């Protein structure tokens, strides 16, 4: 029935068992992504965005990490029970990841051409020479002259390094690309170049995309859907229109109100009060309850996903009440 | 009322390296009125931080004048400078590395008070630290905590309290919110705005985030490779950007609003080297409007009151933009 899903996660739990207690990074997360779609995973530091992404690749360090879930299917294949040998065939081929920091993600002692060719050589049945030739094509594709293939990462600027990383990630035309804050370390004009590049390559290869970011602006630019994360859970998910124009969760509302508005600079910002909860000591029930302006007693019980429409769900028990709604100040 | 608190004239800061001279800040001039905020925007390496530091003489300017409260900071002796600096403080970008990990919050905030012998007696100092902590919204229980126990937002509040300890009139904020999450960022921005209203502070606000600078500043100066390319009141700059670089920069901001899909200008290439730049517009190699006329350094010209642009093709482009 779900042949159309590139990714199907049900009830994902990741915790890190450390000497100082158990860090509950991801707590019963559900996420589905249709083939060819792009979802933005939004949230603040410590919301569990990167941990979720690493779980999909089974790269969560173990120990101290413990990953449990009911279902983790990537294009129909069960990732969670897969032997390491098979996993290695999938990583970089079916699913690849772009990391946040282009300065440290490349190996300093190999040329960029070799690093792109390595991924092709490992996954496709080609000779080394053929792989290198395809690496040159990839470089050209991401806008770097092929002559620079025999240069080392330190000879490239941040934006150029990120282009190389994108080239490595897309070298084997993965079905799913996970981009973990790919532009956070870059300047705005370079960020614009990168987003443009990712968008055009995604169209070319019809790759599905998980874009991890804290910038709702980037999500609006490049994604079809948004999943907002808080304390290890997706607390609201829907299409761009659902989440941006019909915001349901109080935390999502708080996020929007925290962003300076380009068109109205006189208003004071309305920040969310308080701080993100300590993942070793999460509050019972809704993790946002202590900071939420709409909190009531019911928020202390366990939360369920409540579907507003086919595409839009929110994890907030107040929507069980009739007539509860949030009116976000409209951005003019 | 409308007097200038700070006037920077032809400020230059060059660094000599073995590859040549880096023109980090090259002939920058601006003024800030009392109680106002000037936003200094630009990308990495454009010289905004160096400008901020040179104003406090934390790096010695190569040449130029910095007139603060009627006195040229550059000509002050060491002792006079120490006195003058009480009035001008700095809030740093990274709240993780700008606080001494071996000192408690109260020691950090008290340090400038002790160093300048502003208040004597332990009790009086503690009292002052407590009131500063209250001003910036730090709970009294954090008095004896160490920086590593605090999150980024609270650390930045400690940095702000430390800057306020000397009761300065002028604070250079160097990317004070870039290391923070949006919800915390909003708290700190609101705090700085409230402090400004209450204490009549004057700010230089250095950032690469254009939506933040628009929210926060009265005037904005856009820097590119050591030069100011455009300077205007915030609303004017955002509604009527004239320099091709400013236009591209503004169009590159991702906006979290679905109705605002716009044509985006993508500038080709990357920032070029600031080492011994030739006599041409610094944006020449990346500008889509570049022509032969751009092969000399443009000067800032006033296009309408308070709005300055440095572009050799200003008149032609002005017409182009109105046609479009």
């Amino acid at each position: 029935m779900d042949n159309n899903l590139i990714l199907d996660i049900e009830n994902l739990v990741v915790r890190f068992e450390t000497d100082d207690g158990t860090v509950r990074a991801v707590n019963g997360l559900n996420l589905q992504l249709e083939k060819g779609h792009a979802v933005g995973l939004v949230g603040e530091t410590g919301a569990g965005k990167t941990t979720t992404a690493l779980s999909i690749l089974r790269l969560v360090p173990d120990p101290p990490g413990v990953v449990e879930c009911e279902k983790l299917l990537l294009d129909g294949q069960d990732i969670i029970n897969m032997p390491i040998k098979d996993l290695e065939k999938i990583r970089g081929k079916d699913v690849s990841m772009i990391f946040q920091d282009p300065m440290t993600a490349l190996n300093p002692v190999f040329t960029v051409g070799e690093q792109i060719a390595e991924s092709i050589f490992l996954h496709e049945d080609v000779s080394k020479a053929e792989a290198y030739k395809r690496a040159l094509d990839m470089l050209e594709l991401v806008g770097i002259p092929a002559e620079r293939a025999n240069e080392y990462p330190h000879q490239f600027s941040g934006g150029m390094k990120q282009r190389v990383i994108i080239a490595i990630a897309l070298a084997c035309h993965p079905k799913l690309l996970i981009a973990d804050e790919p532009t956070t370390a870059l300047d705005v004009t370079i960020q614009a170049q990168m987003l443009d590049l990712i968008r055009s390559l995604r169209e070319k290869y019809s790759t599905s995309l998980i874009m991890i970011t804290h910038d709702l602006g980037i999500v609006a630019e490049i994604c079809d859907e948004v999943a907002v994360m808080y304390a290890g859970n997706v607390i609201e998910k829907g299409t761009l229109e659902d989440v941006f124009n019909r915001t349901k969760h109080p935390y999502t509302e708080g996020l929007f109100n925290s962003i300076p508005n380009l068109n109205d600079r006189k208003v004071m910002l309305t920040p969310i009060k308080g701080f993100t909860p300590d993942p070793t000591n999460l509050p019972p029930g809704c993790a946002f309850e202590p900071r939420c302006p709409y909190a009531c007693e019911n928020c202390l019980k366990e939360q369920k996903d409540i579907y507003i429409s086919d595409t839009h769900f929110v994890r907030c028990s107040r929507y069980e009440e009739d007539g509860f709604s949030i009116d976000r100040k409209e951005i003019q | 009322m409308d007097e200038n608190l700070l006037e920077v004239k032809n400020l230059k800061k060059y660094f000599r390296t073995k590859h040549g001279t880096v023109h980090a800040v090259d002939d920058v001039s601006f003024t800030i009125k009392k109680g106002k905020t000037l936003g200094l925007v630009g990308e990495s390496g454009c010289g905004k931080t160096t400008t901020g530091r040179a104003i406090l003489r934390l790096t010695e300017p190569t040449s130029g004048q910095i007139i603060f409260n009627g006195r040229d900071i550059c000509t002050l002796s060491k002792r006079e400078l120490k006195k003058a600096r009480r009035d001008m403080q700095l809030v740093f970008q990274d709240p993780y590395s700008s606080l001494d990990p071996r000192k408690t919050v109260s020691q950090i905030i008290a340090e400038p008070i002790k160093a300048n012998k502003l208040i004597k007696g332990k009790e009086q100092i503690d009292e002052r630290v407590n009131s500063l902590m209250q001003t910036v919204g730090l709970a009294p229980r954090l008095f004896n905590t160490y920086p590593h126990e605090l999150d980024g937002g609270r650390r930045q509040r400690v940095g702000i309290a430390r800057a306020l300890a000397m009761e300065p009139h002028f604070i250079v904020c160097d990317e004070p919110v870039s290391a923070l999450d949006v919800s915390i960022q909003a708290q700190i921005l609101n705090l700085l705005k409230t402090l400004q209203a209450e204490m009549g502070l004057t700010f230089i606000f250095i950032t690469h985030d254009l939506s933040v600078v628009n929210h926060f500043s009265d005037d904005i100066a856009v820097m590119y490779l050591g030069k100011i390319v455009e300077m205007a009141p915030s609303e004017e700059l955002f509604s009527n950007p004239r320099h091709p670089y400013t236009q591209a920069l503004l169009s590159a901001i991702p906006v979290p609003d679905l109705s605002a899909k716009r044509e985006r200008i993508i500038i080709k290439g990357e920032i070029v080297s600031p080492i011994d730049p030739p006599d041409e517009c610094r944006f020449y190699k990346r500008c889509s409007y570049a022509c032969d006329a751009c092969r000399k350094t443009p000067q800032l010209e006033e296009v309408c009151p308070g709005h300055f642009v440095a572009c050799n093709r200003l008149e032609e482009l002005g017409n182009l933009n109105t046609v479009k």
Side-chain angles (χ1 to χ4, degrees), chain A residues 106-118 132 135-136 139 148-156 164 168:
Chain A
L106 290 170
N107 189 331
V109 299
F110 289 99
T111 67
V112 299
E114 285 167 332
Q115 295 189 50
I116 303 171
E118 182 194 13
Y132 196 77
L136 298 185
L139 266 186
R148 297 197 64 182
N150 55 1
E151 290 182 18
Y152 289 87
H154 76 267
Q155 292 167 289
F156 288 80
V164 172
I168 296 175

Side-chain angles (χ1 to χ4, degrees), chain B residues 13 48 102 123 161 223 244 248 282 290 298 323-324:
Chain B
K13 176 66 197 175
K48 47 192 197 303
R102 303 208 299 178
E123 267 168 44
M223 288 188 73
R282 298 283 162 93
V323 170
K324 201 161 68 179

Side-chain angles (χ1 to χ4, degrees), chain A residues 306-321:
Chain A
I306 296 172
Y307 278 82
I308 309 289
S309 68
D310 286 350
T311 54
H312 192 185
F313 76 75
V314 58
R315 194 175 273 210
C316 174
S317 57
R318 293 225 51 183
Y319 283 93
E320 287 167 2
E321 300 165 30

Side-chain angles (χ1 to χ4, degrees), chain B residues 96-140:
Chain B
Y96 295 87
S97 61
S98 59
L99 302 178
D100 187 339
R102 303 208 299 178
K103 286 202 163 83
T104 64
V105 167
S106 60
Q107 284 171 328
I108 291 170
I109 300 174
E111 187 157 24
I113 303 174
K114 286 180 182 160
N116 284 289
K117 303 194 178 71
L118 202 66
I119 307 172
K120 291 200 181 81
K122 191 179 177 310
E123 267 168 44
Q124 283 88 335
I125 291 177
D126 282 356
E127 198 179 307
R128 172 82 179 129
V129 169
N130 265 319
S131 86
L132 280 166
M133 285 176 67
Q134 199 186 350
T135 312
V136 298
L138 283 168

